[in-house]
Amino acid sequence: MTFGNPWMLLGALGALIPLLVHLFDRRRPRPHPFGPLAFVMRSQKRTASRLKLKRLLLYALRTLILLAIPIALARPELTRDAAAAQVVKGPAATAIILDASLSMRWSDGTPLFERARDEARDALKDLLPEEPATVLVCTQSPAAPPPPGFDRGRLRSLVDEAKATHGAADLSRCLDLAARALEENPMPAKRLVLVSDMTATAFRLEAPPPTVKGPTGAPVKPEVVLRDAAEGHEVLNNRAIVDLKVEPALQAGPRTFQFTFTVRNFGAEPVKDLEAAVRVGESTLAKGFVDLPPGGTTQKALTVRFPQGGTVLGQVTLAPDALVEDDRRSFVLPVPRALKALVVNGSPHATRYRDEAFFVDAALTAPGSPVEVATRDAEVGLREDFSAYDLVLLLNVPAPSADEAQKLAAFVESGGGLFISMGDRVSPEAYNQRLGPVLPRPLRLVRTSAERDDPDADTKSARLAQVSVEHVLFSPFTGQAEEGLVGARFYKYMLLEADSPGAAGASQVLATYEDGAPAVAVARKGKGRVALLTSTVDRDWSDFSIRTSFLPLMQRFAAYLTGSLDEREEVRVRVGESATLRPEGARKVSSVRAPDGSEVAVKEQPEGALVAGPVTEPGVYSVLGADGKVQSDLSFAAVLEPSESDLGRVPMDTLTAYFGEETVKASTGDADKPTVPLWTWLILAACLAFFFEGTLLRK
Amino acid sequence: MLLDAQTLARLQGVKLRARAVMEGVLSGLHKSPHQGQSVEFAEHKEYAPGDELRHLDWKAYGKFDKYYVKRFEHETNLRAVMVVDASASMGYRSGALSKLDVATTLAGALCYLLVRQQDAAGLALMAGGKWKDVPPRASAGHLNVLLDTLEHTTPTGATDLGSAADHLAEVLPRRSSVIVLSDLLDENQDALRRILALRQRKNDVSVFHLVDPAELTFPFDDPTLFIDMEGQGRVEVNPREIKESYLEEFNGFLASVKAACAEADVDYDLVRTDDKLDDVLLRYLSRRGRRR
């Protein structure tokens, strides 16, 4: 508390007068003989307690009068924050901050943003002619506003053209930016007008409130005017999809996926039978209902089987509420297409489990697998028309003839997948000679780590030592799943020649044995891919085929070699962020289009990646190739920041306390109320005390 | 011509004041309520100075060795006794006359009237707990005795109306007229009832209730130490603070006295010490006339 005339406080000593009078008043009462003394005594007895209270009240009132008047004359003023300088009064340079975050799209018939724009227009209208102003539309990445000026028309058109975004807004940062802009104006008084729905996620209340440089250079709290665009709504009810997981549901068949989406009720009322659906285009593929308690979260899983492979662009949706933007979430889902695989069995056997192709056939045709297998012996299989297949598997096949090898090479070059496994029928020299251009690396010789009938075979046999789990082929084999790989024993395996440095289509070794010899090598050949397993896929050279990892690895070989395994990184992008695209090979990207058809800025990165964005709205973004056609596999979905769906509001009291009660002027756009200095209250108190004192005396 | 209190106060002594008052009402309205004389013996009464010696019962003296006077029915036209309260509280005055001044003046004037029309007038003075009786007689010389007694009365002691009642019951013959002049400020709650009980003995009882204007209006402002005039009590109060309560109490007292008198068929008159006394007497005589 500060005092304008502190010396006036000496007058407060006058408050001691009633006490001194009480203590030192020694006036002797006039003696008066009186006949009816009994009546006097009875009257005094009757009124004693009332008189005592009356005297006490009189004493208090007189003390109050004598105390209030000198304190009022001292002109006291309350300052809550001693560190902050006082607010400078008078005409003020004004910055209007218009919240354009996603939450402002909330609508009960009239969107909050429309109301906010009206409030901003009113704020402009309320300015005095001598008050310069600026406007900052607060988005996810706000730009510093221009210094305050007097071009009201430009500011009004800025407000008129403003649109609510789909991103979060950091109002604390926007207030700071506006405060910096105000500092550029020499007018001593500054004012920030915040037009917002006052959602809690938009404020960082742990940060200090905005200040501007005062006339002395010391930080001064600017006057803050809060205009609540959601006035009258204690709670902004909203529910939203806050998360979505799409996983293959192999047990339900090929191309079946489970959509698990997390729904949250940010409102104060329970929600029953809320419709949740998976849609592609206009058709609804699956639908369910969820119940949500107030403030609660629930998960809903819907299973969808897609009739065919390819990239699916769709949405999961909720029944729309007041904020429809977060009631839907787009997805881009690569659905594996049906694959045709030709298994060329180099060592057929009448006993099924001794057959070279038995385990491979079982793995590729397991439930949920999209692979359709045709098994042939070497003689027939190599004469097949490979173009009818997506994948050819050579299992312990003697080296094909030159024509057959040429067919195979052409098949791979044109985009086919080739898997080669070793065995007793594989001749390294013949393979190198006939299939040299196709092999990831030339074969050298067979190495035997242990004989199968050796009692110490368990210890002598080779095991996988290093597996490139970062590669898409082995990426699932981490943790406990890795045990299935490293537990396999390899009695024999083919050693490979070293890769010739600088050779085109260099190979990649994805797994090695303990001695460092390659176990799995892959290479790109033209548009196709080749994978080489240096041991057998039956139990002749290893027991890998009976290990738990065999089935999933073979399925991944099939998917990888046919290009249907999602090798690219899943593009996860939120509104306001940029998407990084990695087109494979020589594919070119001409442009990226937003859901509304507008073009998104694309920047090329040195390593060949492309950065598109920042994206401004949720939905599916289409990537167009050099030919102008949509590259579905590169398309990506942008999603909303889930926290922006939380429309919990900051109580006005909290905001007032945050900005400082002495600085917050108005809260709802009402006419400014004149401030009442403290001394007027004191004078009022003294007058009331005087009145009551007189009333008591008359009684 | 009616005499106000200030004028009366300038007249020194009860004789002058009583005479002045009496002359004011000398229209002679009073008539004796009883006609003729009787010699029928009624009762004995112990001798007191002033009694007719010729009525001494010598036979009784012979038997009891005490003087008794014979009383006869309708011995006089009217036998009236003025009971004057001369307690200390009667000495209170806020104006020209104290309550005792008014009481003695009224009593003197009444004595004049009675003796003038051949009625017997007597006195019973109560002061300092002692009684001073002057038996009723109708002779002209008796008037001087009555007025002298009133003249020399000074206020002292506590009010004791109860014992006054007992005394009168003992010494007064039946059908006497008893005129009580008092402020009735007796701490004994039963006193008034005992005074009024005289009416039951076929006496004609009248009460002049004397009050000072200050007692009626409590006009004090400054803090005051009130001192009891008949005892040791004292109390320091701010009169303004208790005025309302005091007036409520005192008016309640007046109302209760008036009600008690009415119930006992006793003539009651509230007399302020600033009232015109001839007016008071005229009022009284007028009421008397109506009663007859």
Side-chain angles (χ1 to χ4, degrees), chain A residues 30-34 42-43 46 55, chain B residues 92 224-227 236 241 246 248-249:
Chain A
R30 189 168 58 86
H32 188 88
F34 196 57
R42 277 209 293 275
S43 302
R46 268 178 59 186
R55 286 197 191 110
Chain B
Y92 181 73
T224 306
L225 178 64
F226 289 102
I227 300 168
E236 181 183 336
E241 292 175 345
Y246 167 84
E248 194 179 318
E249 290 271 348

mmCIF file with all atom_site columns, all heavy atoms in Angstrom, chain A residues 30-34 42-43 46 55, chain B residues 92 224-227 236 241 246 248-249:
data_model
loop_
_atom_site.group_PDB
_atom_site.id
_atom_site.type_symbol
_atom_site.label_atom_id
_atom_site.label_alt_id
_atom_site.label_comp_id
_atom_site.label_asym_id
_atom_site.label_entity_id
_atom_site.label_seq_id
_atom_site.pdbx_PDB_ins_code
_atom_site.Cartn_x
_atom_site.Cartn_y
_atom_site.Cartn_z
_atom_site.occupancy
_atom_site.B_iso_or_equiv
_atom_site.pdbx_formal_charge
_atom_site.auth_seq_id
_atom_site.auth_comp_id
_atom_site.auth_asym_id
_atom_site.auth_atom_id
_atom_site.pdbx_PDB_model_num
ATOM 1   N N   . ARG A 1 30  ? -22.965 15.884 39.042 1.00 0.00 ? 30  ARG A N   1
ATOM 2   C CA  . ARG A 1 30  ? -23.642 16.787 39.983 1.00 0.00 ? 30  ARG A CA  1
ATOM 3   C C   . ARG A 1 30  ? -24.503 15.959 40.926 1.00 0.00 ? 30  ARG A C   1
ATOM 4   O O   . ARG A 1 30  ? -25.346 15.176 40.482 1.00 0.00 ? 30  ARG A O   1
ATOM 5   C CB  . ARG A 1 30  ? -24.519 17.753 39.186 1.00 0.00 ? 30  ARG A CB  1
ATOM 6   C CG  . ARG A 1 30  ? -25.109 18.881 39.994 1.00 0.00 ? 30  ARG A CG  1
ATOM 7   C CD  . ARG A 1 30  ? -25.709 19.909 39.044 1.00 0.00 ? 30  ARG A CD  1
ATOM 8   N NE  . ARG A 1 30  ? -26.733 19.320 38.175 1.00 0.00 ? 30  ARG A NE  1
ATOM 9   C CZ  . ARG A 1 30  ? -28.014 19.188 38.522 1.00 0.00 ? 30  ARG A CZ  1
ATOM 10  N NH1 . ARG A 1 30  ? -28.419 19.608 39.701 1.00 0.00 ? 30  ARG A NH1 1
ATOM 11  N NH2 . ARG A 1 30  ? -28.878 18.675 37.688 1.00 0.00 ? 30  ARG A NH2 1
ATOM 12  N N   . PRO A 1 31  ? -24.293 16.135 42.261 1.00 0.00 ? 31  PRO A N   1
ATOM 13  C CA  . PRO A 1 31  ? -25.149 15.373 43.189 1.00 0.00 ? 31  PRO A CA  1
ATOM 14  C C   . PRO A 1 31  ? -26.562 15.967 43.208 1.00 0.00 ? 31  PRO A C   1
ATOM 15  O O   . PRO A 1 31  ? -26.727 17.183 43.122 1.00 0.00 ? 31  PRO A O   1
ATOM 16  C CB  . PRO A 1 31  ? -24.452 15.536 44.535 1.00 0.00 ? 31  PRO A CB  1
ATOM 17  C CG  . PRO A 1 31  ? -23.571 16.710 44.392 1.00 0.00 ? 31  PRO A CG  1
ATOM 18  C CD  . PRO A 1 31  ? -23.279 16.924 42.947 1.00 0.00 ? 31  PRO A CD  1
ATOM 19  N N   . HIS A 1 32  ? -27.513 15.109 43.291 1.00 0.00 ? 32  HIS A N   1
ATOM 20  C CA  . HIS A 1 32  ? -28.896 15.583 43.232 1.00 0.00 ? 32  HIS A CA  1
ATOM 21  C C   . HIS A 1 32  ? -29.764 14.668 44.086 1.00 0.00 ? 32  HIS A C   1
ATOM 22  O O   . HIS A 1 32  ? -30.049 13.538 43.696 1.00 0.00 ? 32  HIS A O   1
ATOM 23  C CB  . HIS A 1 32  ? -29.374 15.555 41.779 1.00 0.00 ? 32  HIS A CB  1
ATOM 24  C CG  . HIS A 1 32  ? -30.707 16.194 41.586 1.00 0.00 ? 32  HIS A CG  1
ATOM 25  N ND1 . HIS A 1 32  ? -30.865 17.558 41.342 1.00 0.00 ? 32  HIS A ND1 1
ATOM 26  C CD2 . HIS A 1 32  ? -31.962 15.675 41.623 1.00 0.00 ? 32  HIS A CD2 1
ATOM 27  C CE1 . HIS A 1 32  ? -32.153 17.836 41.230 1.00 0.00 ? 32  HIS A CE1 1
ATOM 28  N NE2 . HIS A 1 32  ? -32.846 16.701 41.397 1.00 0.00 ? 32  HIS A NE2 1
ATOM 29  N N   . PRO A 1 33  ? -30.185 15.162 45.272 1.00 0.00 ? 33  PRO A N   1
ATOM 30  C CA  . PRO A 1 33  ? -31.115 14.360 46.094 1.00 0.00 ? 33  PRO A CA  1
ATOM 31  C C   . PRO A 1 33  ? -32.409 14.175 45.320 1.00 0.00 ? 33  PRO A C   1
ATOM 32  O O   . PRO A 1 33  ? -32.944 15.143 44.754 1.00 0.00 ? 33  PRO A O   1
ATOM 33  C CB  . PRO A 1 33  ? -31.327 15.229 47.336 1.00 0.00 ? 33  PRO A CB  1
ATOM 34  C CG  . PRO A 1 33  ? -30.194 16.192 47.344 1.00 0.00 ? 33  PRO A CG  1
ATOM 35  C CD  . PRO A 1 33  ? -29.829 16.438 45.930 1.00 0.00 ? 33  PRO A CD  1
ATOM 36  N N   . PHE A 1 34  ? -32.894 12.958 45.317 1.00 0.00 ? 34  PHE A N   1
ATOM 37  C CA  . PHE A 1 34  ? -34.045 12.666 44.461 1.00 0.00 ? 34  PHE A CA  1
ATOM 38  C C   . PHE A 1 34  ? -34.930 11.659 45.169 1.00 0.00 ? 34  PHE A C   1
ATOM 39  O O   . PHE A 1 34  ? -34.449 10.624 45.660 1.00 0.00 ? 34  PHE A O   1
ATOM 40  C CB  . PHE A 1 34  ? -33.549 12.099 43.131 1.00 0.00 ? 34  PHE A CB  1
ATOM 41  C CG  . PHE A 1 34  ? -34.579 12.108 42.038 1.00 0.00 ? 34  PHE A CG  1
ATOM 42  C CD1 . PHE A 1 34  ? -35.198 13.301 41.636 1.00 0.00 ? 34  PHE A CD1 1
ATOM 43  C CD2 . PHE A 1 34  ? -34.940 10.938 41.395 1.00 0.00 ? 34  PHE A CD2 1
ATOM 44  C CE1 . PHE A 1 34  ? -36.128 13.299 40.626 1.00 0.00 ? 34  PHE A CE1 1
ATOM 45  C CE2 . PHE A 1 34  ? -35.869 10.938 40.375 1.00 0.00 ? 34  PHE A CE2 1
ATOM 46  C CZ  . PHE A 1 34  ? -36.472 12.124 39.986 1.00 0.00 ? 34  PHE A CZ  1
ATOM 47  N N   . ARG A 1 42  ? -33.870 1.127  39.266 1.00 0.00 ? 42  ARG A N   1
ATOM 48  C CA  . ARG A 1 42  ? -34.458 0.050  38.459 1.00 0.00 ? 42  ARG A CA  1
ATOM 49  C C   . ARG A 1 42  ? -34.234 0.305  36.967 1.00 0.00 ? 42  ARG A C   1
ATOM 50  O O   . ARG A 1 42  ? -33.928 -0.607 36.200 1.00 0.00 ? 42  ARG A O   1
ATOM 51  C CB  . ARG A 1 42  ? -35.954 -0.064 38.751 1.00 0.00 ? 42  ARG A CB  1
ATOM 52  C CG  . ARG A 1 42  ? -36.260 -0.893 39.995 1.00 0.00 ? 42  ARG A CG  1
ATOM 53  C CD  . ARG A 1 42  ? -37.615 -1.557 39.878 1.00 0.00 ? 42  ARG A CD  1
ATOM 54  N NE  . ARG A 1 42  ? -38.697 -0.591 39.900 1.00 0.00 ? 42  ARG A NE  1
ATOM 55  C CZ  . ARG A 1 42  ? -39.248 -0.115 41.023 1.00 0.00 ? 42  ARG A CZ  1
ATOM 56  N NH1 . ARG A 1 42  ? -38.802 -0.517 42.201 1.00 0.00 ? 42  ARG A NH1 1
ATOM 57  N NH2 . ARG A 1 42  ? -40.232 0.747  40.975 1.00 0.00 ? 42  ARG A NH2 1
ATOM 58  N N   . SER A 1 43  ? -34.342 1.560  36.571 1.00 0.00 ? 43  SER A N   1
ATOM 59  C CA  . SER A 1 43  ? -34.140 1.886  35.155 1.00 0.00 ? 43  SER A CA  1
ATOM 60  C C   . SER A 1 43  ? -32.703 1.615  34.733 1.00 0.00 ? 43  SER A C   1
ATOM 61  O O   . SER A 1 43  ? -32.436 1.084  33.653 1.00 0.00 ? 43  SER A O   1
ATOM 62  C CB  . SER A 1 43  ? -34.454 3.365  34.914 1.00 0.00 ? 43  SER A CB  1
ATOM 63  O OG  . SER A 1 43  ? -35.768 3.634  35.294 1.00 0.00 ? 43  SER A OG  1
ATOM 64  N N   . ARG A 1 46  ? -32.193 -2.062 34.335 1.00 0.00 ? 46  ARG A N   1
ATOM 65  C CA  . ARG A 1 46  ? -32.826 -2.585 33.119 1.00 0.00 ? 46  ARG A CA  1
ATOM 66  C C   . ARG A 1 46  ? -32.012 -2.283 31.869 1.00 0.00 ? 46  ARG A C   1
ATOM 67  O O   . ARG A 1 46  ? -31.939 -3.061 30.930 1.00 0.00 ? 46  ARG A O   1
ATOM 68  C CB  . ARG A 1 46  ? -34.216 -1.958 32.948 1.00 0.00 ? 46  ARG A CB  1
ATOM 69  C CG  . ARG A 1 46  ? -35.331 -2.760 33.565 1.00 0.00 ? 46  ARG A CG  1
ATOM 70  C CD  . ARG A 1 46  ? -36.643 -2.049 33.391 1.00 0.00 ? 46  ARG A CD  1
ATOM 71  N NE  . ARG A 1 46  ? -36.969 -1.828 31.986 1.00 0.00 ? 46  ARG A NE  1
ATOM 72  C CZ  . ARG A 1 46  ? -38.019 -1.108 31.578 1.00 0.00 ? 46  ARG A CZ  1
ATOM 73  N NH1 . ARG A 1 46  ? -38.797 -0.545 32.459 1.00 0.00 ? 46  ARG A NH1 1
ATOM 74  N NH2 . ARG A 1 46  ? -38.265 -0.973 30.302 1.00 0.00 ? 46  ARG A NH2 1
ATOM 75  N N   . ARG A 1 55  ? -22.369 1.957  24.417 1.00 0.00 ? 55  ARG A N   1
ATOM 76  C CA  . ARG A 1 55  ? -21.136 2.716  24.659 1.00 0.00 ? 55  ARG A CA  1
ATOM 77  C C   . ARG A 1 55  ? -19.982 2.140  23.842 1.00 0.00 ? 55  ARG A C   1
ATOM 78  O O   . ARG A 1 55  ? -19.163 2.855  23.284 1.00 0.00 ? 55  ARG A O   1
ATOM 79  C CB  . ARG A 1 55  ? -20.782 2.680  26.147 1.00 0.00 ? 55  ARG A CB  1
ATOM 80  C CG  . ARG A 1 55  ? -21.683 3.572  26.966 1.00 0.00 ? 55  ARG A CG  1
ATOM 81  C CD  . ARG A 1 55  ? -21.077 3.847  28.343 1.00 0.00 ? 55  ARG A CD  1
ATOM 82  N NE  . ARG A 1 55  ? -22.072 4.483  29.180 1.00 0.00 ? 55  ARG A NE  1
ATOM 83  C CZ  . ARG A 1 55  ? -22.654 3.893  30.214 1.00 0.00 ? 55  ARG A CZ  1
ATOM 84  N NH1 . ARG A 1 55  ? -22.319 2.658  30.540 1.00 0.00 ? 55  ARG A NH1 1
ATOM 85  N NH2 . ARG A 1 55  ? -23.543 4.535  30.932 1.00 0.00 ? 55  ARG A NH2 1
ATOM 86  N N   . TYR B 2 92  ? -38.547 17.417 48.537 1.00 0.00 ? 92  TYR B N   1
ATOM 87  C CA  . TYR B 2 92  ? -37.969 17.638 47.196 1.00 0.00 ? 92  TYR B CA  1
ATOM 88  C C   . TYR B 2 92  ? -38.704 18.742 46.469 1.00 0.00 ? 92  TYR B C   1
ATOM 89  O O   . TYR B 2 92  ? -39.939 18.764 46.452 1.00 0.00 ? 92  TYR B O   1
ATOM 90  C CB  . TYR B 2 92  ? -38.029 16.337 46.395 1.00 0.00 ? 92  TYR B CB  1
ATOM 91  C CG  . TYR B 2 92  ? -37.430 16.495 45.024 1.00 0.00 ? 92  TYR B CG  1
ATOM 92  C CD1 . TYR B 2 92  ? -36.048 16.605 44.862 1.00 0.00 ? 92  TYR B CD1 1
ATOM 93  C CD2 . TYR B 2 92  ? -38.236 16.551 43.897 1.00 0.00 ? 92  TYR B CD2 1
ATOM 94  C CE1 . TYR B 2 92  ? -35.503 16.767 43.621 1.00 0.00 ? 92  TYR B CE1 1
ATOM 95  C CE2 . TYR B 2 92  ? -37.688 16.715 42.643 1.00 0.00 ? 92  TYR B CE2 1
ATOM 96  C CZ  . TYR B 2 92  ? -36.310 16.824 42.510 1.00 0.00 ? 92  TYR B CZ  1
ATOM 97  O OH  . TYR B 2 92  ? -35.769 16.996 41.270 1.00 0.00 ? 92  TYR B OH  1
ATOM 98  N N   . THR B 2 224 ? -25.352 12.719 36.484 1.00 0.00 ? 224 THR B N   1
ATOM 99  C CA  . THR B 2 224 ? -25.840 13.156 37.798 1.00 0.00 ? 224 THR B CA  1
ATOM 100 C C   . THR B 2 224 ? -25.677 12.045 38.824 1.00 0.00 ? 224 THR B C   1
ATOM 101 O O   . THR B 2 224 ? -25.873 10.871 38.501 1.00 0.00 ? 224 THR B O   1
ATOM 102 C CB  . THR B 2 224 ? -27.334 13.547 37.704 1.00 0.00 ? 224 THR B CB  1
ATOM 103 O OG1 . THR B 2 224 ? -27.466 14.504 36.662 1.00 0.00 ? 224 THR B OG1 1
ATOM 104 C CG2 . THR B 2 224 ? -27.847 14.112 39.007 1.00 0.00 ? 224 THR B CG2 1
ATOM 105 N N   . LEU B 2 225 ? -25.307 12.462 40.017 1.00 0.00 ? 225 LEU B N   1
ATOM 106 C CA  . LEU B 2 225 ? -25.256 11.505 41.121 1.00 0.00 ? 225 LEU B CA  1
ATOM 107 C C   . LEU B 2 225 ? -26.556 11.662 41.909 1.00 0.00 ? 225 LEU B C   1
ATOM 108 O O   . LEU B 2 225 ? -26.741 12.641 42.643 1.00 0.00 ? 225 LEU B O   1
ATOM 109 C CB  . LEU B 2 225 ? -24.052 11.808 42.013 1.00 0.00 ? 225 LEU B CB  1
ATOM 110 C CG  . LEU B 2 225 ? -23.909 10.916 43.236 1.00 0.00 ? 225 LEU B CG  1
ATOM 111 C CD1 . LEU B 2 225 ? -23.661 9.476  42.843 1.00 0.00 ? 225 LEU B CD1 1
ATOM 112 C CD2 . LEU B 2 225 ? -22.797 11.417 44.154 1.00 0.00 ? 225 LEU B CD2 1
ATOM 113 N N   . PHE B 2 226 ? -27.471 10.750 41.720 1.00 0.00 ? 226 PHE B N   1
ATOM 114 C CA  . PHE B 2 226 ? -28.751 10.822 42.421 1.00 0.00 ? 226 PHE B CA  1
ATOM 115 C C   . PHE B 2 226 ? -28.584 10.226 43.815 1.00 0.00 ? 226 PHE B C   1
ATOM 116 O O   . PHE B 2 226 ? -28.039 9.131  43.976 1.00 0.00 ? 226 PHE B O   1
ATOM 117 C CB  . PHE B 2 226 ? -29.825 10.062 41.634 1.00 0.00 ? 226 PHE B CB  1
ATOM 118 C CG  . PHE B 2 226 ? -30.232 10.766 40.366 1.00 0.00 ? 226 PHE B CG  1
ATOM 119 C CD1 . PHE B 2 226 ? -29.755 10.362 39.135 1.00 0.00 ? 226 PHE B CD1 1
ATOM 120 C CD2 . PHE B 2 226 ? -31.104 11.852 40.417 1.00 0.00 ? 226 PHE B CD2 1
ATOM 121 C CE1 . PHE B 2 226 ? -30.119 11.020 37.978 1.00 0.00 ? 226 PHE B CE1 1
ATOM 122 C CE2 . PHE B 2 226 ? -31.475 12.515 39.251 1.00 0.00 ? 226 PHE B CE2 1
ATOM 123 C CZ  . PHE B 2 226 ? -30.987 12.102 38.050 1.00 0.00 ? 226 PHE B CZ  1
ATOM 124 N N   . ILE B 2 227 ? -29.065 10.983 44.789 1.00 0.00 ? 227 ILE B N   1
ATOM 125 C CA  . ILE B 2 227 ? -28.906 10.575 46.198 1.00 0.00 ? 227 ILE B CA  1
ATOM 126 C C   . ILE B 2 227 ? -30.288 10.340 46.793 1.00 0.00 ? 227 ILE B C   1
ATOM 127 O O   . ILE B 2 227 ? -31.210 11.154 46.602 1.00 0.00 ? 227 ILE B O   1
ATOM 128 C CB  . ILE B 2 227 ? -28.173 11.670 47.008 1.00 0.00 ? 227 ILE B CB  1
ATOM 129 C CG1 . ILE B 2 227 ? -26.784 11.893 46.374 1.00 0.00 ? 227 ILE B CG1 1
ATOM 130 C CG2 . ILE B 2 227 ? -28.054 11.296 48.462 1.00 0.00 ? 227 ILE B CG2 1
ATOM 131 C CD1 . ILE B 2 227 ? -26.089 13.121 46.902 1.00 0.00 ? 227 ILE B CD1 1
ATOM 132 N N   . GLU B 2 236 ? -24.929 6.898  40.132 1.00 0.00 ? 236 GLU B N   1
ATOM 133 C CA  . GLU B 2 236 ? -24.448 7.862  39.146 1.00 0.00 ? 236 GLU B CA  1
ATOM 134 C C   . GLU B 2 236 ? -24.899 7.393  37.764 1.00 0.00 ? 236 GLU B C   1
ATOM 135 O O   . GLU B 2 236 ? -24.575 6.281  37.340 1.00 0.00 ? 236 GLU B O   1
ATOM 136 C CB  . GLU B 2 236 ? -22.919 7.928  39.200 1.00 0.00 ? 236 GLU B CB  1
ATOM 137 C CG  . GLU B 2 236 ? -22.347 8.931  38.223 1.00 0.00 ? 236 GLU B CG  1
ATOM 138 C CD  . GLU B 2 236 ? -20.819 8.926  38.250 1.00 0.00 ? 236 GLU B CD  1
ATOM 139 O OE1 . GLU B 2 236 ? -20.255 8.514  39.278 1.00 0.00 ? 236 GLU B OE1 1
ATOM 140 O OE2 . GLU B 2 236 ? -20.222 9.297  37.243 1.00 0.00 ? 236 GLU B OE2 1
ATOM 141 N N   . GLU B 2 241 ? -29.674 8.677  29.129 1.00 0.00 ? 241 GLU B N   1
ATOM 142 C CA  . GLU B 2 241 ? -29.664 7.280  28.739 1.00 0.00 ? 241 GLU B CA  1
ATOM 143 C C   . GLU B 2 241 ? -30.801 6.480  29.374 1.00 0.00 ? 241 GLU B C   1
ATOM 144 O O   . GLU B 2 241 ? -31.259 5.494  28.801 1.00 0.00 ? 241 GLU B O   1
ATOM 145 C CB  . GLU B 2 241 ? -28.314 6.650  29.109 1.00 0.00 ? 241 GLU B CB  1
ATOM 146 C CG  . GLU B 2 241 ? -27.156 7.197  28.291 1.00 0.00 ? 241 GLU B CG  1
ATOM 147 C CD  . GLU B 2 241 ? -25.814 6.651  28.747 1.00 0.00 ? 241 GLU B CD  1
ATOM 148 O OE1 . GLU B 2 241 ? -25.741 6.069  29.859 1.00 0.00 ? 241 GLU B OE1 1
ATOM 149 O OE2 . GLU B 2 241 ? -24.844 6.804  28.010 1.00 0.00 ? 241 GLU B OE2 1
ATOM 150 N N   . TYR B 2 246 ? -36.943 5.307  32.848 1.00 0.00 ? 246 TYR B N   1
ATOM 151 C CA  . TYR B 2 246 ? -37.440 5.883  34.109 1.00 0.00 ? 246 TYR B CA  1
ATOM 152 C C   . TYR B 2 246 ? -38.901 6.301  33.968 1.00 0.00 ? 246 TYR B C   1
ATOM 153 O O   . TYR B 2 246 ? -39.740 5.995  34.823 1.00 0.00 ? 246 TYR B O   1
ATOM 154 C CB  . TYR B 2 246 ? -36.583 7.081  34.508 1.00 0.00 ? 246 TYR B CB  1
ATOM 155 C CG  . TYR B 2 246 ? -37.203 7.904  35.610 1.00 0.00 ? 246 TYR B CG  1
ATOM 156 C CD1 . TYR B 2 246 ? -37.025 7.544  36.951 1.00 0.00 ? 246 TYR B CD1 1
ATOM 157 C CD2 . TYR B 2 246 ? -38.002 9.015  35.321 1.00 0.00 ? 246 TYR B CD2 1
ATOM 158 C CE1 . TYR B 2 246 ? -37.627 8.272  37.967 1.00 0.00 ? 246 TYR B CE1 1
ATOM 159 C CE2 . TYR B 2 246 ? -38.604 9.739  36.320 1.00 0.00 ? 246 TYR B CE2 1
ATOM 160 C CZ  . TYR B 2 246 ? -38.422 9.375  37.644 1.00 0.00 ? 246 TYR B CZ  1
ATOM 161 O OH  . TYR B 2 246 ? -39.028 10.080 38.632 1.00 0.00 ? 246 TYR B OH  1
ATOM 162 N N   . GLU B 2 248 ? -41.060 5.299  31.965 1.00 0.00 ? 248 GLU B N   1
ATOM 163 C CA  . GLU B 2 248 ? -41.918 4.111  31.844 1.00 0.00 ? 248 GLU B CA  1
ATOM 164 C C   . GLU B 2 248 ? -42.222 3.547  33.234 1.00 0.00 ? 248 GLU B C   1
ATOM 165 O O   . GLU B 2 248 ? -43.362 3.223  33.561 1.00 0.00 ? 248 GLU B O   1
ATOM 166 C CB  . GLU B 2 248 ? -41.169 3.079  30.986 1.00 0.00 ? 248 GLU B CB  1
ATOM 167 C CG  . GLU B 2 248 ? -42.038 1.943  30.484 1.00 0.00 ? 248 GLU B CG  1
ATOM 168 C CD  . GLU B 2 248 ? -41.227 0.979  29.630 1.00 0.00 ? 248 GLU B CD  1
ATOM 169 O OE1 . GLU B 2 248 ? -40.404 1.461  28.802 1.00 0.00 ? 248 GLU B OE1 1
ATOM 170 O OE2 . GLU B 2 248 ? -41.380 -0.230 29.817 1.00 0.00 ? 248 GLU B OE2 1
ATOM 171 N N   . GLU B 2 249 ? -41.172 3.466  34.042 1.00 0.00 ? 249 GLU B N   1
ATOM 172 C CA  . GLU B 2 249 ? -41.338 2.927  35.396 1.00 0.00 ? 249 GLU B CA  1
ATOM 173 C C   . GLU B 2 249 ? -42.265 3.828  36.227 1.00 0.00 ? 249 GLU B C   1
ATOM 174 O O   . GLU B 2 249 ? -43.183 3.363  36.907 1.00 0.00 ? 249 GLU B O   1
ATOM 175 C CB  . GLU B 2 249 ? -39.958 2.831  36.080 1.00 0.00 ? 249 GLU B CB  1
ATOM 176 C CG  . GLU B 2 249 ? -39.053 1.772  35.505 1.00 0.00 ? 249 GLU B CG  1
ATOM 177 C CD  . GLU B 2 249 ? -39.241 0.441  36.177 1.00 0.00 ? 249 GLU B CD  1
ATOM 178 O OE1 . GLU B 2 249 ? -39.901 0.387  37.227 1.00 0.00 ? 249 GLU B OE1 1
ATOM 179 O OE2 . GLU B 2 249 ? -38.750 -0.570 35.625 1.00 0.00 ? 249 GLU B OE2 1
#
